Amino acid sequence: MAETTTKDVVTEVGTMKRSHYGMIINGERTESVSENKYDTHNPATGEVLATVAKANEADAEKAVQAARNAFDHGKWRKYPVGKRSRVLNQIAAIMRERFKDLVEMEVLNSGKSVGAATVQINQAIEDFEFYAGAIVGHRGTVNNMPYGFFNYTHKEPVGVCAQIIPWNYPMMMAAWKIAPAIAAGCSVVVKPASLTPITALLINEICHEAGVPEGVVNTIPGSGAVVGDYLVDHEAVDKVAFTGSTPIGKDIMAKASRTLKRITLELGGKSPNIVFDDADMEAAVAGSLFGIYFNTGQSCEARSRMFVHDSIYDTFIEQFVAKTKKLVLGDPFDKGTHIGSIISQEQLDVIDGYVQSAVQEGATILTGGKAAEVEGFEGGYWYEPTVIVDVTPDMKAVKEEIFGPVVVVERFSDEKEVIKRANDTKYGLGSAIWTTNQARATRVAHQIQAGIVMVNSPFSAFPGTPFGGYKESGFGRELAVESLDLYMEDKSVLSYYGSKPLNPFGV
Ligand code: NAD
Ligand code: MN
């Protein structure tokens, strides 16, 4: 294997804003063996932000070997759990010290508003704190057996995990994946989205500064089709945790079957947002607005299919559209900005394609419907928050995930009917119900085919709440105590304590 030219052991993070970012393998900042790099951009301006080392298969191999070696021969998994917990808390503490810088880098690399980035970095920190606590009390079971047998389960880390993450929440998704995995004692190879590699690399550096031993966390930016694919196919990788689109998720599931890897998949969504006639109108309008436009609609659990009861439809839509028009697109660093940029021109074209297809199929746009001009950010990728009505269930924009600031609105008149229509999708990630009738809220919540139901809540998750999908939104849950089990194997230890030796064959 080719030696890298520069050995730069990560002992401290130093400046976060740099002109170049190396990948992290075995506790070192390193360049690709190919010496390839690529430009990463600020999507709000279209300008080049920095260059990043671009991993290829040889780099992925090095990263897997480093993770394998750390798992098989290293000390991390053997640490007393309290010590691992302290290191996770230390990661969180360093992130808190660098909070402003991390937010800045997330905004620069993703184009999201400073408000959105602040919430997400804060949650990334809380994830590490949450798993620092959760792992300490995470134990197996003791099972009473008849006939002089005693059984307990021993929880063991699953091994080397490839963690493939998308661009919409670059740092938060990295935290969702790294924190439970290393808490459990696993080693990881993180493959950030090519468009947004910086904050995942910074988390990796902070992990080392906090005391995570070399090789336990490795981060290799590069193409999903090359590096991601290599990791999924690798025999020394025990598990793949993936967040991204449903088609790639299906591909990963098929490929992982070759080595029977453990997999968790967090995929796309088309989440319903149901506003009943007995909803608190002000809360429903504000919450539905946040539900679709937060993070510029680039959220897997975006409430992108709105169902509004006939009897309140006109009032609701009038208020919803009025508030949509008030949302500010602007300098992502301005605290008054609500909506940041789209991640790329390619994604903007996808969004606009869906909107135009809806118009061609007979829908009506009440506001938005085109790329936005933002003064001072002419080179960036911006789209107007968009409300589409007069839609039918067979329209492409109603069936498929748009992943942008676009909501489609339908009317309904009856509870049973709206449940049926809400469930009429291949996805099952999020859902929201707006009603002041508690019995109805519970009744509907239990019939919605989705992993997450928000009742009168604009927010979908906090550390501690299980996050994941039904149907083609994937499987496995992140962010909660039970996620630890997806990074662990339960070993059943059965022992005999009777005084009479057993001789089942009787010979
Ligand atoms: P994507 O599926 O194209 O990419 C996700 C990641 O997978 C990236 O790191 C990419 O490089 C990598 N990848 C691409 N091809 C690969 C391959 N063949 N093998 C292995 N890895 C590969 O998705 P995206 O465009 O980056 O992100 C948007 C999508 O992610 C949306 O559809 C959205 O719904 C979904 N998403 C889901 C969740 C969730 O929690 N369920 C969260 C965020 C995003
Ligand atoms: Mn993609």
Side-chain angles (χ1 to χ4, degrees):
M1 205 180 300
E3 270 297 300
T4 46
T5 46
T6 49
K7 273 210 196 301
D8 183 4
V9 178
V10 180
T11 49
E12 63 177 275
V13 178
T15 344
M16 303 217 157
K17 205 169 175 178
R18 306 171 201 158
S19 57
H20 176 73
Y21 295 82
M23 60 184 88
I24 317 280
I25 298 177
N26 211 30
E28 289 169 6
R29 286 192 199 94
T30 168
E31 299 308 314
S32 169
V33 296
S34 69
E35 290 176 20
N36 282 344
K37 13 176 178 173
Y38 71 99
D39 292 336
T40 188
H41 293 84
N42 176 350
T45 61
E47 285 159 10
V48 174
L49 184 59
T51 55
V52 183
K54 186 180 186 185
N56 63 10
E57 286 100 334
D59 301 306
E61 182 59 36
K62 276 175 63 183
V64 170
Q65 293 311 333
R68 190 75 255 168
N69 187 52
F71 188 78
D72 293 341
H73 309 294
K75 54 196 173 184
W76 178 249
R77 63 185 282 211
K78 297 179 192 142
Y79 277 175
V81 69
K83 186 165 173 179
R84 283 208 303 273
S85 169
R86 278 201 302 283
V87 174
L88 264 81
N89 273 320
Q90 182 60 16
I91 295 169
I94 298 173
M95 288 172 75
R96 265 189 212 292
E97 273 169 30
R98 313 259 164 83
F99 191 81
K100 276 203 166 128
D101 295 334
L102 291 170
V103 169
E104 182 187 13
M105 291 320 302
E106 192 77 325
V107 171
L108 286 172
N109 205 189
S110 70
K112 66 179 74 213
S113 70
V114 71
T118 299
V119 169
Q120 292 160 30
I121 303 297
N122 202 41
Q123 209 211 70
I125 294 170
E126 288 179 356
D127 288 340
F128 281 98
E129 292 169 340
F130 176 77
Y131 284 108
I135 193 63
V136 173
H138 200 62
R139 12 173 227 189
T141 55
V142 176
N143 306 302
N144 281 322
M145 295 290 121
Y147 316 122
F149 285 92
F150 167 66
N151 177 240
Y152 68 94
T153 60
H154 185 230
K155 289 193 179 288
E156 299 180 354
V158 77
V160 171
C161 307
Q163 305 191 306
I164 301 173
I165 57 184
W167 45 256
N168 58 342
Y169 295 107
M171 182 164 239
M172 200 176 82
M173 285 294 128
W176 280 27
K177 296 225 173 341
I178 296 170
I182 66 173
C186 293
S187 297
V188 303
V189 178
V190 179
K191 211 298 283 173
S194 323
L195 292 170
T196 54
I198 294 178
T199 49
L201 289 163
L202 293 173
I203 284 204
N204 196 152
E205 296 190 358
I206 289 172
C207 287
H208 290 310
E209 195 180 347
V212 174
E214 61 186 35
V216 173
V217 183
N218 309 273
T219 304
I220 48 170
S223 143
V226 177
V227 175
D229 201 64
Y230 190 84
L231 295 172
V232 173
D233 205 40
H234 205 297
E235 309 215 335
V237 172
D238 302 294
K239 172 188 168 127
V240 177
F242 172 81
T243 297
S245 56
T246 292
I248 305 281
K250 289 180 179 177
D251 206 38
I252 285 176
M253 187 164 174
K255 285 202 183 102
S257 72
R258 195 184 69 81
T259 45
L260 220 71
K261 283 181 179 43
R262 281 84 186 99
I263 50 175
T264 45
L265 301 173
E266 302 272 11
L267 309 175
K270 191 78 182 175
S271 302
N273 184 78
I274 308 172
V275 187
F276 286 99
D277 49 354
D278 54 17
D280 173 329
M281 185 65 83
E282 201 185 330
V285 171
S288 305
L289 199 75
F290 187 84
I292 178 61
Y293 298 129
F294 179 66
N295 212 45
T296 320
Q298 301 170 125
S299 280
C300 44
E301 86 285 20
R303 276 70 83 199
S304 52
R305 276 190 308 151
M306 205 147 73
F307 295 93
V308 184
H309 192 273
D310 260 331
S311 68
I312 55 157
Y313 184 89
D314 291 339
T315 322
F316 182 92
I317 290 300
E318 190 188 322
Q319 293 185 22
F320 187 86
V321 170
K323 284 198 192 248
T324 298
K325 288 180 176 163
K326 279 196 190 162
L327 295 175
V328 177
L329 284 74
D331 182 348
F333 282 107
D334 190 331
K335 287 210 168 78
T337 294
H338 301 109
I339 310 281
S341 71
I342 304 298
I343 197 70
S344 65
Q345 182 64 48
E346 184 193 16
Q347 196 66 21
L348 193 150
D349 292 341
V350 169
I351 295 166
D352 195 52
Y354 277 114
V355 172
Q356 299 321 319
S357 80
V359 173
Q360 275 153 26
E361 290 174 275
T364 310
I365 292 176
L366 292 184
T367 184
K370 60 180 192 307
E373 299 291 330
V374 177
E375 213 189 307
F377 293 85
E378 287 77 8
Y381 321 112
W382 299 82
Y383 204 84
E384 292 182 353
T386 301
V387 181
I388 307 181
V389 296
D390 301 330
V391 297
T392 52
D394 54 310
M395 289 180 183
K396 216 163 96 84
V398 175
K399 279 182 14 203
E400 295 177 22
E401 181 177 51
I402 298 177
F403 223 60
V406 180
V407 67
V408 295
V409 193
E410 298 178 56
R411 295 168 175 267
F412 74 94
S413 54
D414 168 63
E415 182 183 304
K416 272 209 176 77
E417 164 216 342
V418 78
I419 292 167
K420 192 158 178 271
R421 285 166 62 191
N423 287 336
D424 182 21
T425 164
K426 64 178 181 174
Y427 292 116
L429 190 57
S431 61
I433 303 167
W434 300 93
T435 175
T436 49
N437 179 334
Q438 179 61 45
R440 164 175 279 161
T442 309
R443 201 159 59 227
V444 178
H446 290 198
Q447 291 175 80
I448 294 282
Q449 295 159 354
I452 301 151
V453 184
M454 291 155 257
V455 179
N456 299 322
S457 166
F459 309 122
S460 61
F462 295 101
T465 57
F467 190 99
Y470 280 24
K471 302 196 280 188
E472 291 195 20
S473 290
F475 50 82
R477 296 291 180 268
E478 296 190 290
L479 204 59
V481 172
E482 46 269 60
S483 316
L484 287 169
D485 285 328
L486 301 175
Y487 288 100
M488 304 188 101
E489 298 280 13
D490 282 307
K491 176 176 283 171
S492 164
V493 181
L494 180 70
S495 43
Y496 174 66
Y497 61 81
S499 53
K500 186 169 168 263
L502 297 179
N503 181 4
F505 272 138
V507 290

